[in-house]
Amino acid sequence: MNNLNMLNFSEQSSSSIYQYIFNLFAKLGLPEQQAHIFTALGLLFALALLLYALDYIMRQVLYSVLNKIARRTSTKWDDYLLENKVHVRLSRTLLVLLTRQLLPVIFLGFPILTAAIVKFLDLFILVMLYQLANSLLKTCRDIFRTSKGFKDKPIDSYLQVVQIFLIFVIGTLVVSLLTGNSPWSFLVSLGAASAILMLVFKDTILGFVASIQVSANDSVRVGDWIEMPKYGVDGDVLQINLNNVKIQNWDKTIVTIPTYTLLSDSFKNYRGMQETGGRRIKRALNIKMSSVRYLSEDEITALKKIHLLAPYIERRECEIAEYNKSWNTDTSSPVNGRRMTNIGLFRAYVLAYAKHNPNIHQELTLLVRQLAPSEYGIPLELYMFTKGTQWVYFEDTMADIFDHLLATIEHFHLQVFELPAADDLRWILSKATLS
């Protein structure tokens, strides 16, 4: 034991506790080296018992008291502190700091070993401080999420930026401790490698800039319904992080896209529709062109029995009669003058029906229009908004409207256009064969 490198008694520091125990072992007749070893072991055992006792008291008494206090209070911040284990991180950091202060006293007879232990504990304290700061940041994130002002903000992006900054600071201090150089010299060396760092952290830098611009421009919030067909995105934004955005599609699948794609690519945000309170119906009925014609007096009289249409027919009859009289129209030909058509009355009925529908938003655009005729007939388009934006409510309202119109259209002597089905083709072929 005379050649032990870790023993350097000439560099011992003074400690009354250490010296007292060392003198007890020396009085027992132990050699000086063995007295130092047994003194260190005894103090180490005493320190282990002390740390275990303190940890036991904290876990069994302090944690229990804190949990009871948090449950009784009406505030949420204390619950978030416990959920993110801030009290656990704090207690363990305090135990490590206590160990850092006591271990050099225990190994006074081993200065080289003491230096190594102190350096290791310094590194461990840095890690514990980062974990404590990280728990506090997560607590702040949870508190901000409950605030209306931050509910739809990309808080996770801000958290990750601060976490990266903390990791950079802790990493700088760790390198400084291991090398024994000043942190500034390490930062200067990083400046020379800035190009490599920018290449390695390209996505992080792009995501950071994108998250700031998205938040500043208020283009996307957490909870928004966005659509990006290029990436298969059609659903609600769940989370906006520094590097990616998480979206849950309507089929419950989760899509993750890089944050900077919100700036580089176009997307559709349905927030305006949700805030307006109305969801657009834009669907057409294709009417068979050959079924469009003028209506006879008897047919018009029959349509007057429709309560929603009667005021319109009476008003139109007066307008048409006055016009034809002022122009001395020869009514023997239906082409002369003005007359009512079945498609015109049907369009008026659809508009009146929509205006009396309690599920249609009357403050937003409401119209029924004809589109350009095509090989599929005359499209009669309904352009209006429902009073709610929920998907089920929207689909039910639209289906009820078109169910009614499809059943009503025959009363106007109109036909809905549809391509020939297999039965129609067989009927045509059978007629051709018989002829």
Side-chain angles (χ1 to χ4, degrees), residues 213-372:
Q213 292 188 356
V214 165
S215 178
N217 298 330
D218 199 21
S219 57
V220 179
R221 302 175 186 170
V222 175
D224 283 356
W225 170 18
I226 65 173
E227 184 178 347
M228 298 180 73
K230 179 180 178 180
Y231 299 98
V233 171
D234 186 14
D236 290 336
V237 177
L238 297 180
Q239 194 177 49
I240 302 177
N241 292 327
L242 186 62
N243 294 321
N244 54 65
V245 179
K246 186 182 294 184
I247 302 101
Q248 184 178 50
N249 288 335
W250 299 119
D251 58 359
K252 300 304 179 183
T253 57
I254 303 296
V255 180
T256 303
I257 60 174
T259 306
Y260 58 81
T261 57
L262 297 178
L263 298 179
S264 60
D265 294 330
S266 62
F267 62 92
K268 183 187 291 186
N269 193 333
Y270 289 88
R271 189 202 312 159
M273 176 266 293
Q274 294 171 334
E275 291 177 347
T276 303
R279 189 166 179 177
R280 186 183 68 177
I281 295 176
K282 186 182 179 183
R283 182 180 290 185
L285 278 173
N286 290 326
I287 297 175
K288 191 175 181 180
M289 282 186 281
S290 60
S291 65
V292 177
R293 61 178 176 84
Y294 293 115
L295 291 172
S296 65
E297 294 296 333
D298 293 338
E299 291 172 336
I300 293 174
T301 302
L303 290 175
K304 283 184 181 180
K305 296 179 181 179
I306 301 175
H307 296 293
L308 293 178
L309 196 58
Y312 175 81
I313 294 178
E314 292 174 357
R315 185 173 65 254
R316 288 289 291 171
E317 283 181 331
C318 294
E319 292 176 358
I320 291 173
E322 183 179 352
Y323 176 85
N324 291 336
K325 182 179 179 180
S326 63
W327 288 89
N328 296 321
T329 303
D330 181 10
T331 57
S332 61
S333 174
V335 179
N336 296 329
R338 297 175 62 183
R339 294 178 182 274
M340 283 186 274
T341 61
N342 54 356
I343 191 172
L345 288 184
F346 181 66
R347 180 167 53 85
Y349 172 76
V350 175
L351 184 60
Y353 179 77
K355 289 182 177 180
H356 287 81
N357 193 320
N359 296 322
I360 298 300
H361 206 304
Q362 303 300 318
E363 303 298 326
L364 300 178
T365 304
L366 196 162
L367 59 88
V368 181
R369 59 177 181 170
Q370 282 190 31
L371 301 181

Side-chain angles (χ1 to χ4, degrees), residues 171-187:
T172 303
L173 295 177
V174 168
V175 173
S176 177
L177 282 174
L178 292 176
T179 60
N181 297 324
S182 171
W184 299 111
S185 62
F186 175 70
L187 294 176

Side-chain angles (χ1 to χ4, degrees), residues 393-414:
Y393 175 83
F394 168 76
E395 293 292 346
D396 287 342
T397 301
M398 184 168 58
D400 288 341
I401 292 174
F402 279 87
D403 288 347
H404 176 78
L405 297 181
L406 289 172
T408 304
I409 194 171
E410 64 177 9
H411 295 281
F412 292 83
H413 310 286
L414 291 170

Side-chain angles (χ1 to χ4, degrees), residues 72-84:
R72 291 179 180 178
T73 58
S74 59
T75 57
K76 287 291 185 181
W77 62 268
D78 49 359
D79 296 327
Y80 295 139
L81 285 172
L82 296 179
E83 288 176 4
N84 292 293

Side-chain angles (χ1 to χ4, degrees), residues 84 89 126-127 129-142 145 154-172 201 204 208 239-244:
N84 292 293
R89 305 293 187 193
L126 289 176
V127 175
L129 289 175
Y130 168 74
Q131 291 181 346
L132 176 60
N134 195 31
S135 296
L136 289 172
L137 288 173
K138 290 181 179 179
T139 303
C140 294
R141 175 199 62 188
D142 295 337
R145 281 179 175 174
I155 301 176
D156 290 318
S157 297
Y158 306 149
L159 173 65
Q160 289 177 340
V161 171
V162 179
Q163 285 176 332
I164 291 174
F165 176 75
L166 285 177
I167 292 174
F168 178 76
V169 172
I170 296 297
T172 303
F201 295 102
T204 303
F208 173 61
Q239 194 177 49
I240 302 177
N241 292 327
L242 186 62
N243 294 321
N244 54 65

Side-chain angles (χ1 to χ4, degrees), residues 8-267:
N8 188 354
F9 305 122
S10 62
E11 298 180 4
Q12 297 177 28
S13 302
S14 60
S15 171
S16 58
I17 297 176
Y18 187 91
Q19 191 64 38
Y20 176 76
I21 298 176
F22 175 79
N23 291 335
L24 289 179
F25 283 112
K27 289 179 181 180
L28 295 177
L30 292 176
E32 186 178 3
Q33 294 178 353
Q34 294 182 5
H36 278 292
I37 293 174
F38 281 104
T39 300
L41 291 176
L43 290 175
L44 185 62
F45 180 74
L47 176 61
L49 290 178
L50 176 63
L51 294 177
Y52 178 78
L54 291 176
D55 183 65
Y56 181 82
I57 293 173
M58 289 181 179
R59 285 188 287 106
Q60 300 298 326
V61 180
L62 181 61
Y63 295 173
S64 178
V65 172
L66 292 176
N67 286 326
K68 290 180 180 179
I69 294 175
R71 284 196 296 267
R72 291 179 180 178
T73 58
S74 59
T75 57
K76 287 291 185 181
W77 62 268
D78 49 359
D79 296 327
Y80 295 139
L81 285 172
L82 296 179
E83 288 176 4
N84 292 293
K85 299 181 179 180
V86 175
H87 59 301
V88 177
R89 305 293 187 193
L90 180 60
S91 63
R92 290 178 179 176
T93 303
L94 293 176
L95 291 177
V96 175
L97 288 173
L98 179 62
T99 305
R100 167 67 175 79
Q101 294 298 320
L102 295 179
L103 273 182
V105 178
I106 294 174
F107 293 100
L108 278 176
F110 307 87
I112 299 177
L113 179 61
T114 301
I117 292 175
V118 168
K119 182 173 288 189
F120 172 77
L121 289 176
D122 287 340
L123 296 175
F124 195 62
I125 288 172
L126 289 176
V127 175
M128 296 299 296
L129 289 175
Y130 168 74
Q131 291 181 346
L132 176 60
N134 195 31
S135 296
L136 289 172
L137 288 173
K138 290 181 179 179
T139 303
C140 294
R141 175 199 62 188
D142 295 337
I143 294 174
F144 287 145
R145 281 179 175 174
T146 60
S147 174
K148 292 183 179 179
F150 292 91
K151 188 175 182 180
D152 51 7
K153 301 299 181 183
I155 301 176
D156 290 318
S157 297
Y158 306 149
L159 173 65
Q160 289 177 340
V161 171
V162 179
Q163 285 176 332
I164 291 174
F165 176 75
L166 285 177
I167 292 174
F168 178 76
V169 172
I170 296 297
T172 303
L173 295 177
V174 168
V175 173
S176 177
L177 282 174
L178 292 176
T179 60
N181 297 324
S182 171
W184 299 111
S185 62
F186 175 70
L187 294 176
V188 171
S189 64
L190 284 180
S194 59
I196 299 176
L197 291 176
M198 291 183 65
L199 180 62
V200 173
F201 295 102
K202 180 190 69 172
D203 293 338
T204 303
I205 295 172
L206 290 174
F208 173 61
V209 175
S211 62
I212 292 177
Q213 292 188 356
V214 165
S215 178
N217 298 330
D218 199 21
S219 57
V220 179
R221 302 175 186 170
V222 175
D224 283 356
W225 170 18
I226 65 173
E227 184 178 347
M228 298 180 73
K230 179 180 178 180
Y231 299 98
V233 171
D234 186 14
D236 290 336
V237 177
L238 297 180
Q239 194 177 49
I240 302 177
N241 292 327
L242 186 62
N243 294 321
N244 54 65
V245 179
K246 186 182 294 184
I247 302 101
Q248 184 178 50
N249 288 335
W250 299 119
D251 58 359
K252 300 304 179 183
T253 57
I254 303 296
V255 180
T256 303
I257 60 174
T259 306
Y260 58 81
T261 57
L262 297 178
L263 298 179
S264 60
D265 294 330
S266 62
F267 62 92

